[in-house]
């Protein structure tokens, strides 16, 4: 092939900043970020991505900025396109830089609630949920609900990609942390790595570099859980 | 259907904790049996919740509130169900597998199995294969339910099934599994008897396993 396929990136909003920093300006024909809220509804990530995929008329290399996300992208059909998918459980491993880095963190403290810039901005954290639930259901029920969801967590960890970012998000993260002391959670900061996003962008330019960290789904096939195990 | 039963269903759906106990007492005063209240009031409510959750019209906190409302009614009904000798349809041992701390889905399944007339032993979270084996030996359940929410901990399901086999008790139970990353293919692969994609489906499957569906 003399000319490479057009590249389209469909990614979760949590990666917006990392892509902005590392994506060469003229590499992708289209970059679309999707709202965090898709995670709240079973099947919504796949159906939203599918609609977007199906609307791309030229056979393209579609790069996903999503992991398996609790089977959130399972069943996604490539159609006329080729999909390049991070072989990751979810965004945390990607923000940390590798599956290995995530496993290391998980082995140390399985009960970790992760905060990142993206999740803080979207208001997906226990303190924000508390405020929402109090308004909707009152104090007693709000606390009961949160206890159901978070009582087993041990650690609240902020992951960011530079000291400046850690400092920038620290005040908000610590506010969440104070609330999470309710469950005895301790607060920690973890410096993430842009290694994986850089690799994803590199592999997008040369699929022959796709190794065990990626799933390549050829045209006419679909994303399966087994790809990630 | 009796008006009060549909009110009970509605209270479960709305997660209306304030009214559910009174409604349950009222239904009993009207002469309805605990079993009727359970099967025609609470369960249809929870079934509806299951459908709405899958469709994205209800979210986790709302489902939890509904389950809590149901539980509150069950607290009143349970002694009556036992007293009246209402058949326990079977026994279930359930737990979140080793390494995994997520228990919302598992709790929901446990609660709904109880609602459907099962005697449930909930082993909690981070349950080692040996603990499942011990519980099977001691409690002699018909069904073992396992939950995992992470691809990294799903493998513990396989280890648990292996442990049941090694202990020679695998054939005594039906094993069903669930959790966000779990699939039917995975269930087949590890030799589980069934996979359920949500709490309501898990209860249906449990009932089928004991011939109570």
């Amino acid at each position: 092939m003399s000319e490479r396929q057009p590249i389209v990136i469909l990614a979760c909003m949590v990666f917006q900043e990392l892509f902005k920093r590392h994506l060469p300006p003229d590499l992708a024909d289209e970059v679309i970020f999707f709202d965090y809220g898709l995670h709240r509804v079973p099947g919504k990530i796949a159906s939203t991505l599918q609609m977007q995929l199906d609307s791309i008329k030229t056979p393209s290399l579609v790069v996903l900025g999503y992991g398996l996300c609790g089977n959130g992208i399972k069943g996604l059909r490539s159609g006329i396109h080729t999909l390049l998918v991070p072989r990751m459980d979810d965004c945390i491993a990607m923000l940390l830089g590798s599956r290995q880095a995530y496993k290391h963190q998980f082995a140390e403290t399985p009960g970790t609630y992760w905060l990142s810039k993206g999740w803080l901005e979207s208001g997906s954290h226990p303190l924000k949920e508390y405020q929402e639930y109090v308004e909707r259901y009152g104090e007693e029920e709000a606390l009961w609900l949160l206890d159901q969801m978070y009582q087993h967590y041990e650690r609240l960890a902020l992951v960011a990609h530079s000291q400046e970012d850690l400092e920038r998000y620290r005040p908000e993260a610590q506010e969440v942390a104070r609330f999470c002391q309710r469950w005895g959670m301790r607060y920690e900061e973890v410096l993430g790595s842009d290694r994986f996003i850089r690799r994803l962008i590199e592999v997008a330019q040369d699929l022959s570099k796709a190794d065990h960290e990626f799933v390549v789904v050829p045209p006419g096939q679909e994303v399966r859980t087994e790809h990630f195990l | 259907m009796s008006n009060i039963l549909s009110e009970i269903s509605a209270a479960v759906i709305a997660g209306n904790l304030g009214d559910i106990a009174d409604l349950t007492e009222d239904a009993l005063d009207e002469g309805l049996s605990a079993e009727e209240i359970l099967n025609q009031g609470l369960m249809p409510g929870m079934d509806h919740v299951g459908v709405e959750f899958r469709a994205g019209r209800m979210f986790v906190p709302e489902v939890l509130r509904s389950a809590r409302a149901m539980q509150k009614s069950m607290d009143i009904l349970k002694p009556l169900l036992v007293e009246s000798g209402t058949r326990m349809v079977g026994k279930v041992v359930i737990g979140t597998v080793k390494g995994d701390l997520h228990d919302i889905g598992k709790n929901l399944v446990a609660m709904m199995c109880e609602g459907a007339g099962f005697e449930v032993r909930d082993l909690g979270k981070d349950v080692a294969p040996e603990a499942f084996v011990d519980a099977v030996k001691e409690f002699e359940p018909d069904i073992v339910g396992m939950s995992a929410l992470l691809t990294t901990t799903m493998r513990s399901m396989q280890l648990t099934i292996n442990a049941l086999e090694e202990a020679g008790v695998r054939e005594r139970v039906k094993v069903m599994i669930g959790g966000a990353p779990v699939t039917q293919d995975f269930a087949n692969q590890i030799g589980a008897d069934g996979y359920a994609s949500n709490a309501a489906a898990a209860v249906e499957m449990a009932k089928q396993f004991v011939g109570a569906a």
Side-chain angles (χ1 to χ4, degrees), chain B residues 188-203:
Chain B
N188 297 342
Q189 189 189 319
I190 67 169
D193 297 297
Y195 155 72
S197 65
N198 61 77
V203 175

Side-chain angles (χ1 to χ4, degrees), chain A residues 50-66:
Chain A
Q50 191 69 62
M51 215 158 32
Q52 197 65 48
L53 265 176
D54 294 345
S55 73
I56 305 168
K57 296 302 168 210
T58 320
S60 305
L61 174 65
V62 179
V63 180
L64 295 190
Y66 281 93

Side-chain angles (χ1 to χ4, degrees), chain A residues 86-191:
Chain A
R87 193 164 162 267
M88 297 281 187
D89 291 333
D90 54 37
C91 63
I92 302 304
M94 288 189 258
L95 292 172
L96 291 173
S98 69
R99 214 171 175 166
Q100 214 45 48
Y102 174 74
K103 275 189 178 162
H104 176 73
Q105 291 285 342
F106 183 77
E108 242 169 41
T109 314
T112 300
Y113 188 96
W114 291 96
L115 282 179
S116 68
K117 167 186 182 294
W119 290 109
L120 278 170
E121 282 171 355
S122 73
S124 294
H125 55 73
L127 178 57
K128 188 69 193 296
E129 285 170 324
Y130 168 71
Q131 290 155 352
E132 280 175 28
Y133 296 167
V134 166
E135 210 162 286
R136 234 181 294 162
Y137 310 123
E139 175 86 8
E140 189 274 340
E141 278 210 63
L143 288 174
W144 178 83
L145 279 170
L146 289 161
D147 285 348
Q148 300 309 302
M149 299 198 263
Y150 300 115
Q151 60 193 346
H152 303 315
Y153 285 88
E154 300 164 59
R155 172 174 74 149
L156 183 81
L158 170 67
V159 55
H161 290 82
S162 64
Q163 281 304 333
E164 297 82 69
D165 273 358
L166 281 176
E167 274 156 37
R168 192 176 325 153
Y169 296 104
R170 182 173 299 139
E172 204 182 339
Q174 283 181 336
E175 206 186 322
V176 180
R178 272 191 293 278
F179 179 67
C180 290
Q181 278 172 359
R182 173 182 177 80
W183 302 290
M185 281 161 79
R186 64 178 191 275
Y187 173 72
E188 284 179 17
E189 293 176 354
V190 177
L191 199 56

Side-chain angles (χ1 to χ4, degrees), chain A residues 15-55:
Chain A
F15 298 117
Q16 193 166 24
E17 189 114 335
L18 282 173
F19 273 113
K20 220 189 275 172
R21 204 174 297 162
H22 295 289
L23 195 65
D26 46 3
L27 181 69
D29 293 69
E30 209 177 354
V31 184
I32 304 172
F33 292 103
F34 295 90
D35 195 75
Y36 315 93
L38 298 185
H39 289 79
R40 291 182 180 218
V41 185
K44 193 73 191 269
I45 297 179
S47 64
T48 304
L49 292 180
Q50 191 69 62
M51 215 158 32
Q52 197 65 48
L53 265 176
D54 294 345
S55 73

Side-chain angles (χ1 to χ4, degrees), chain B:
Chain B
M1 208 214 292
S2 152
N3 199 25
I4 191 124
L5 288 173
S6 28
E7 278 181 54
I8 288 175
S9 295
V12 168
I13 293 163
N16 189 340
L17 213 57
D19 292 346
I20 189 86
D22 287 345
L23 285 169
T24 307
E25 298 287 4
D26 289 351
L28 290 168
D29 289 347
E30 279 186 23
L32 291 161
S33 72
E35 200 173 359
E36 283 169 322
I37 297 170
L38 173 59
N39 291 331
Q40 296 166 43
L42 299 177
M43 289 310 279
M46 277 317 280
D47 284 348
H48 181 83
V49 169
V51 170
E52 294 293 293
F53 178 66
R54 282 200 296 287
R57 290 188 293 265
M58 274 177 89
F59 300 100
V60 169
E62 289 152 330
V63 175
L64 284 172
R65 291 179 75 243
S66 291
R68 191 185 187 195
M70 172 168 169
Q71 188 81 70
K72 198 160 179 186
S73 176
M74 279 299 288
D75 288 345
I76 300 169
L77 299 180
K78 228 187 203 168
L80 300 172
L81 289 167
V82 173
E83 200 175 286
S84 66
T86 303
R87 84 286 168 265
M88 278 299 180
V89 296
K91 293 201 258 183
V92 177
V93 158
I94 192 167
T96 301
V97 296
K98 188 168 176 53
D100 204 315
L101 306 173
H102 297 85
D103 65 352
I104 293 178
K106 181 267 296 168
N107 293 347
L108 218 47
V109 173
M111 204 180 309
M112 288 181 68
C113 278
E114 214 162 59
F118 284 92
E119 201 178 339
V120 177
R121 174 149 321 170
D122 186 347
L123 305 179
K125 61 191 163 51
D126 190 17
V127 179
E130 309 79 60
F132 275 104
V133 170
D134 290 348
V136 167
K137 285 181 178 166
E138 188 203 321
F139 187 59
E140 301 184 335
D142 306 282
I143 294 160
V144 171
M146 289 190 272
S147 166
L149 265 289
L150 301 165
T151 41
T152 34
T153 54
M154 268 164 79
R155 294 167 189 93
S156 298
M157 293 177 160
Q158 171 87 75
L159 299 178
T160 305
I161 290 180
N162 294 350
L164 291 172
E165 273 166 8
E166 277 159 31
V169 295
R170 172 66 184 90
E171 298 309 317
R172 293 191 210 161
V173 293
K174 295 283 189 188
V175 174
M176 60 182 205
I177 62 175
V182 179
T183 60
Q184 182 63 56
D185 283 349
F186 182 73
N188 297 342
Q189 189 189 319
I190 67 169
D193 297 297
Y195 155 72
S197 65
N198 61 77
V203 175
E204 274 317 303
M205 182 173 291
K207 288 203 283 199
Q208 277 172 16
F209 281 153
V210 296

